[in-house]
Amino acid sequence: VLHIDPLETSAWNTLVSGHKRWVLFPPSAEGRQLMPGGCGSGEHLQALEELSDLGDSASHWLHKCYPHIDASVGECIDFVQAPGETVYVPSGWWHNVVNLDFTVAVTENFVGEPNLRSSFAAMSATDPETAERWRLGMQARPELRRFAELMVDDEAQ
């Protein structure tokens, strides 16, 4: 289903076998633009903006919604991933992925230095206790301490 990965994370996906079709839109695209008329109800649009499941399949979006997206949305990256290829999805990018045949893949969401502060803020809003344990865990390790300091607002330091 078309989505943005949770908690401001980035992701990578390495395909072992099979083929996947990816469609990506930059963070500047708005959820309502990516669900043109007839592709979803108001509830679906609200769910899309909350980054939750739309209840429709990725294949449904690809075949019923994608062809009707207005060019004013801007840049779109549409490609097929082959075995042995790794796809990187930056934080905040909308994406939809459809398996074109039987696939085996390994994927992981992660937080890097560029999205550390925004990911920490998203986690703090969702689960403050876990966010604080994350920050304190990084603070306790000398090699990660400088990153832990990036997680806090300048005013709070």
Side-chain angles (χ1 to χ4, degrees):
V1 173
L2 179 71
H3 68 283
I4 295 174
D5 285 335
L7 301 175
E8 301 288 331
T9 58
S10 298
W12 57 264
N13 178 286
T14 298
L15 194 57
V16 177
S17 65
H19 298 85
K20 291 178 175 278
R21 182 168 176 193
W22 291 77
V23 180
L24 295 96
F25 295 91
S28 59
E30 295 180 14
R32 293 189 189 292
Q33 294 175 299
L34 303 177
M35 292 295 288
C39 284
S41 67
E43 288 178 13
H44 282 117
L45 293 172
Q46 182 179 359
L48 181 62
E49 289 177 351
E50 293 172 359
L51 308 179
S52 62
D53 189 79
L54 292 175
D56 291 330
S57 72
S59 181
H60 171 86
W61 181 88
L62 182 67
H63 295 288
K64 301 292 184 188
C65 302
Y66 181 47
H68 302 288
I69 292 176
D70 191 271
S72 67
V73 168
E75 177 185 13
C76 169
I77 302 171
D78 183 337
F79 63 94
V80 173
Q81 179 185 18
E85 295 179 340
T86 298
V87 173
Y88 168 70
V89 180
S91 172
W93 278 66
W94 293 94
H95 53 287
N96 187 73
V97 187
V98 174
N99 294 335
L100 300 177
D101 46 25
F102 181 77
T103 64
V104 175
V106 179
T107 192
E108 188 69 41
N109 286 68
F110 67 95
V111 177
E113 187 173 353
N115 60 328
L116 181 61
R117 186 174 255 175
S118 61
S119 184
F120 180 72
M123 179 163 296
S124 294
T126 305
D127 187 347
E129 186 177 310
T130 299
E132 185 59 10
R133 283 198 319 258
W134 176 25
R135 189 188 67 76
L136 291 173
M138 291 180 69
Q139 184 69 38
R141 296 185 56 186
E143 71 274 19
L144 299 177
R145 193 166 291 138
R146 80 175 181 89
F147 297 107
E149 291 168 1
L150 292 175
M151 297 166 94
V152 196
D153 289 332
D154 295 329
E155 297 139 14
Q157 291 182 6

